[in-house]
């Protein structure tokens, strides 16, 4: 986004300025919650499944942050499904063998139904991914991955796929546009679970897709119109309200996450910590080469059984034992409690979504919970 003085606005400013109504005397600062299923004839919207001014405001803000035209959907998974629905029958999809369990399940179901062919690779191994690209229609990337925090070499993989004319889509939910902007690296589509950091208050479910390709935009907009997974206007309005403070929340949560990752890695009851911002993390050098931060999710393994790990999660007072992530409140969970989570994720792995509380309060709570389970 360009300011009146022609200089590029920084994301901290964009999050506050984008998606506002035009300024006229007594105009509202915020867009209205447009509760309408239909519109009088003669205009560009026509029907409430085709467009809504509250969605448009939210999409302007996400689009300005990601650097692309944006469409919002009823959930992150609806956005993912919209991408897969635009593929031709039998399309070859290359994706990571470890990633968000919902996407992994969807990929598996589409493959079983013979709608697509998926080739799953180790995303940290750039050569292996590139070797699998021949004949692919779509490279689906998620980085860092949920919940293992593996990092894909996005600049190298996007370049390799684009030189072979393969569509590249990136799930940017963990990193967000503040850390990396895949469209600027050449990706075709960026997906966000708006439910997480963008909205940021664990009170709604929404998703988005951003692209600079008019062809992809039209196909993805048609998928929204005719598959019908549209956002609710109230959720769109709340998400935009959340975006106003997203950079501040994300900065604070990321700072907390680095500190907690450091302390966890020295804790006697923790056997392994994954956080790309830790200098000792196997992916740190790669992550540092193109990411502007490392996010606020930390995964670690507890020195005990699955049952003992559940007890850790149940013992905290500030950190809540609940799924999801990206809100102001810290949450954690043992990921393998979900039957759809990959068997490659250790039974004792806890995914911690670090919130914006005071870091010393968080540490006291986490340390007490680790000891309470023994
Ligand atoms: C949560 C999540 C999704 C799915 O988003 P929903 O809004 O829950 O549908 C997709 N990818 C990642 C990385 C996620 O964390």
């Amino acid at each position: 986004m360009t300011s009146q003085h022609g200089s590029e606005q920084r994301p901290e400013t964009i999050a506050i300025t984008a998606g506002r109504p035009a300024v006229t005397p007594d105009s509202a600062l915020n867009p209205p919650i447009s509760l309408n299923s239909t519109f009088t004839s003669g205009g560009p919207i026509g029907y409430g499944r085709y467009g809504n001014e509250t969605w448009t405001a939210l999409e302007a803000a996400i689009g300005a942050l990601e650097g692309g035209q944006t469409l919002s959907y009823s959930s992150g998974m609806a956005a993912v499904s919209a991408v897969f629905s635009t593929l031709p029958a039998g399309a070859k999809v290359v994706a990571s063998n470890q990633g968000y369990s919902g996407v992994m399940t969807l990929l598996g179901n589409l493959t079983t139904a013979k709608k697509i062919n998926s080739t799953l690779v180790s995303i940290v191994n750039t050569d292996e991914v590139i070797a699998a690209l021949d004949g692919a229609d779509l490279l689906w990337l998620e980085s860092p991955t949920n919940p293992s925090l593996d990092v894909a070499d996005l600049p190298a993989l996007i370049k390799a796929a684009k030189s072979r004319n393969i569509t590249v889509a990136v799930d940017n939910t963990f990193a967000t546009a503040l850390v990396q902007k895949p469209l600027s690296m050449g990706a075709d589509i960026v997906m966000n679970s708006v439910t997480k950091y963008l909205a940021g208050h664990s009170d709604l479910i929404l998703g988005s897709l951003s692209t600079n390709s008019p062809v992809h935009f039209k196909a993805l907009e048609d998928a929204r119109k005719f598959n019908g997974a549209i956002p609710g206007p109230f959720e769109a309005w709340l998400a935009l309200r959340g975006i106003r403070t997203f950079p501040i929340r994300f900065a604070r949560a990321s700072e907390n996450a680095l500190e907690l990752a450091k302390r966890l890695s020295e804790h006697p009851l923790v056997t392994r910590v994954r956080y790309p911002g830790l200098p000792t993390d196997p992916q740190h050098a790669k992550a540092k080469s193109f990411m502007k931060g490392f996010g606020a999710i930390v995964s670690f393994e507890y020195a005990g059984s699955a049952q003992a790990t559940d007890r850790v999660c149940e013992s905290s007072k500030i950190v809540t034992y609940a799924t999801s992530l990206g809100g102001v409140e810290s949450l954690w969970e043992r990921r393998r409690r979900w039957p759809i989570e990959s068997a490659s994720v250790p039974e004792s792995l806890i995914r911690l979504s670090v919130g914006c509380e005071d870091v010393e309060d968080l540490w006291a709570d986490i340390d007490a919970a680790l000891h309470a389970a023994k």
Side-chain angles (χ1 to χ4, degrees), residues 198-257:
L198 291 166
H201 295 77
S202 307
D203 52 8
L204 63 89
I205 294 204
L206 279 183
S208 71
L209 297 172
S210 306
T211 181
N212 282 310
S213 148
V215 174
H216 285 303
F217 187 88
K218 168 82 170 65
L220 297 168
E221 186 178 35
D222 273 4
R224 180 174 71 179
K225 279 182 181 169
F226 305 118
N227 298 340
I230 58 165
F234 181 56
E235 284 78 0
W237 185 89
L238 263 185
L240 180 57
R241 190 182 202 269
I243 285 175
R244 303 301 181 210
T245 54
F246 154 57
I248 296 170
R249 289 185 280 104
F250 194 75
R252 167 63 172 252
S254 302
E255 200 181 293
N256 283 353

Side-chain angles (χ1 to χ4, degrees), residues 135-219:
D137 297 281
L138 173 70
L139 172 61
W140 179 268
L141 295 168
E142 174 187 322
S143 183
T145 61
N146 182 355
S148 297
L149 296 167
D150 282 336
V151 175
D153 190 337
L154 290 186
L157 292 176
I158 292 169
K159 188 161 171 253
K162 290 321 296 172
S163 72
R164 291 163 176 79
N165 248 327
I166 298 164
T167 299
V168 182
V170 180
D171 181 337
N172 211 22
T173 302
F174 268 37
T176 82
L178 295 173
V179 159
Q180 61 195 18
K181 290 173 72 178
L183 295 178
S184 74
M185 299 177 199
D188 300 282
I189 300 165
V190 167
M191 175 261 158
N192 278 288
S193 170
V194 177
T195 312
K196 313 292 170 55
Y197 289 107
L198 291 166
H201 295 77
S202 307
D203 52 8
L204 63 89
I205 294 204
L206 279 183
S208 71
L209 297 172
S210 306
T211 181
N212 282 310
S213 148
V215 174
H216 285 303
F217 187 88
K218 168 82 170 65

Side-chain angles (χ1 to χ4, degrees), residues 1 73 103 135 137 143 155 160 165 210 213 224 231 251 281 294 311 320 324 341 344 346 371:
M1 177 175 266
Y73 294 81
V103 175
D137 297 281
S143 183
N165 248 327
S210 306
S213 148
R224 180 174 71 179
D281 190 274
F294 306 101
R311 283 202 298 280
T320 303
S324 200
E341 186 54 89
S344 67
H371 286 291

Side-chain angles (χ1 to χ4, degrees), residues 120-144:
L120 303 182
V121 290
S122 167
I123 209 67
V124 293
N125 186 336
T126 303
D127 293 338
E128 182 185 331
V129 183
I130 293 175
L133 288 178
D134 273 347
D137 297 281
L138 173 70
L139 172 61
W140 179 268
L141 295 168
E142 174 187 322
S143 183

